Each structure stands twice: as C-alpha cells, then as structure tokens.
Amino acid sequence: MRVTVLTGAGISTESGIPDYRGPNGMWRRDPDHEKLVTYDYYMADPEIRRRSWLMRRDNPAWEAEPNAAHRALAALPDAWIVTQNVDGLHQRAGSPPERVLELHGNMFGALCTACGARSTTREAIDRIDAGESDPACHECGGVVKTATVMFGQSLDPVVLTRAVEAAEECEVFLAVGSSLRVQPAASLVEVAVRAGARLVVVNAEPTPYDHLADEVIHDPIGAAVPRLCSSLT
Ligand code: APR
C-alpha cells in the first residue's frame, strides 16, 4: 500500500514540544510569537532576533524523543513523510531521511541571509550563551537565521515538487497533527484526494479538509497513529 503522510506539530506534542494553534499552542499563549517566525519582522528588528534566538535556545525539541506515532510511521514500508515540523523526530524515529520531506526546513542548520554562509544553530546558541544577543555572520556581518522557512519566505521548490508527487502517487494519504491552515502544505491534502487517494485525518480538532476525509480520528495521536498504521500493513 502506497502511503504518504503529512505531519504537523500535533505529532510532536506528546514528545513535549508545544504546537502552535492547539489549546496549549504557542500562538495561544504568546500572540507575539508569530513575529518571531516572520521574515520581514526578523530582518527589520534586532529585538525580534534577540527574542527569536532565546526561543530557539529554549526549544524543548533539543531534549525531545520520538514518540510511538513517529515510530509507527517509520515502520510503514516505503511511506513518504512530508512534514511541516522542524524537529527532526521522524528521522530519529527511523524514517529514512531520503523519504522525509521537510517542507519548512529544520531547526539544526543556520545560514547567513546576506552571503549564504552555512553554520549550525548550536554554534549560534553557544554565542548567545557567551553573551551575544544577535550573532552576525562571521564571513560578512550579515543577519543569521536558522534553516527554517519563515512566514514570508518560499519553500524549497525541489522539496515541494517531490511532496506534490508523493501526494499524487499514494493510495492512502494521512494528515496527522496539523490544523491544515498553512499553505502550501495543507493543499497537498486536496492534491492527494483529487488523484484518488483515500484520506484519513488524525487531529484533535476539526480541520478545513475534514469534509474530504474518508475517516477523521480525534483520538490522541500517540495511540491513534500506531493503531492506524497496523491496519495499513
Ligand atoms: N493528538 C491529536 N491532535 C493533536 C495533539 C495530539 N496529541 N496535539 C496537538 N494536536 C492538534 C491540535 O489540536 C492542532 O489542531 O494538532 C494540531 C496542530 O496544529 P498547529 O499547531 O497549527 O500546527 P501545524 O498545523 O503543524 O502548523 C503549520 O504553521 O506555525 C507554522 O511553520 C509552522 O509548520 C507550522 C505551520
């Protein structure tokens, strides 16, 4: 069975990483959070960058472990994992890296927005811990950011094209732990359904695509996804 899975922050909450729009989501608790991940605000305001680096340093994802849902998806033979998450937990659960498409990049790489010089987020955080508030590029002094796709930036076209193909080619499309409110990621659901795939949505709250689903599961993902995967193999 050809399975493609689109995952969102909801698959990692049971690993201790808060989501954005859920009941305990970061955006519910700190409406300002959106500015920290919006490119124009980030580039324009050193105070936004200072707060952004503290948020990155304190991200629970550094200590998080994959949970039963990540592991169940990793055990699905030849599945494509299209994730909006930047925490790397799918790969750590055993999903082959070449079959994990990180639509929004990941939190571990860093790059200079001016010259493109690559570094690591860990290096930048070490500079924060040593007292810098907005570590500039060693090469050119430019603004440094993590290798995640911020609001206002476009996705990597190669990754997005592969994700669209994975949605078109599958027989079953699972949408797991996403409010499906952010494009173009959410539109992959429609691509899959139009191509004839069976759609299962696993999410605690309703999504704008539930009307297209053959099945909607509201149970906690950590229990629902292993059950679902065992029915697919
Ligand atoms: N079981 C079931 N559902 C859960 C669980 C759980 N344990 N934990 C959270 N959820 C659900 C929430 O109810 C919510 O509807 O997961 C969903 C997560 O939605 P969002 O927080 O909007 O996360 P996501 O869809 O991944 O956001 C997309 O927006 O902030 C940007 O770039 C960021 O990639 C992110 C994108």
Side-chain angles (χ1 to χ4, degrees):
M1 177 95 66
R2 294 193 306 279
V3 180
T4 293
V5 193
L6 172 66
T7 64
I11 195 172
S12 296
T13 54
E14 291 174 61
S15 294
I17 304 173
D19 62 12
Y20 300 94
R21 301 173 186 80
N24 307 312
M26 285 186 277
W27 292 21
R28 292 280 173 94
R29 285 180 289 166
D30 171 8
D32 226 15
H33 181 274
E34 187 169 353
K35 289 184 181 162
L36 303 188
V37 292
T38 300
Y39 189 78
D40 289 348
Y41 284 119
Y42 185 84
M43 293 302 289
D45 186 347
E47 176 55 14
I48 292 283
R49 293 199 291 273
R50 185 188 69 78
R51 289 175 53 201
S52 204
W53 281 114
L54 295 180
M55 173 189 73
R56 291 160 180 164
R57 181 195 63 183
D58 302 341
N59 188 336
W62 292 108
E63 290 77 35
E65 292 297 328
N67 62 53
H70 295 105
R71 289 194 297 274
L73 294 181
L76 276 181
D78 303 324
W80 279 98
I81 307 290
V82 182
T83 188
Q84 300 173 85
N85 300 339
V86 297
D87 57 32
L89 291 182
H90 285 298
Q91 295 93 324
R92 285 183 47 209
S95 289
E98 68 277 7
R99 295 186 77 89
V100 178
L101 300 170
E102 294 179 317
L103 292 178
H104 297 160
N106 69 64
M107 58 182 276
F108 305 103
L111 73 153
C112 173
T113 58
C115 73
R118 290 273 169 176
S119 55
T120 67
T121 304
R122 181 48 64 195
E123 284 167 68
I125 289 172
D126 289 346
R127 292 171 63 185
I128 300 288
D129 288 340
E132 294 186 61
S133 65
D134 179 18
C137 175
H138 281 312
E139 310 287 325
C140 76
V143 169
V144 174
K145 66 181 285 290
T146 52
T148 59
V149 178
M150 290 178 144
F151 282 110
Q153 289 191 287
S154 48
L155 278 63
D156 178 329
V158 173
V159 174
L160 184 56
T161 302
R162 193 67 205 92
V164 169
E165 290 165 356
E168 286 171 338
E169 291 161 1
C170 69
E171 294 167 282
V172 176
F173 192 90
L174 311 180
V176 176
S178 179
S179 60
L180 298 176
R181 294 192 189 294
V182 171
Q183 298 299 353
S187 65
L188 294 170
V189 173
E190 228 156 358
V191 168
V193 170
R194 255 206 317 273
R198 181 164 166 264
L199 171 64
V200 182
V201 175
V202 188
N203 203 60
E205 296 170 293
T207 80
Y209 293 83
D210 288 357
H211 65 289
L212 297 176
D214 296 272
E215 189 182 1
V216 177
I217 301 171
H218 293 303
D219 300 335
I221 284 168
V225 167
R227 239 188 353 256
L228 179 58
C229 289
S230 56
S231 75
L232 291 172
T233 45

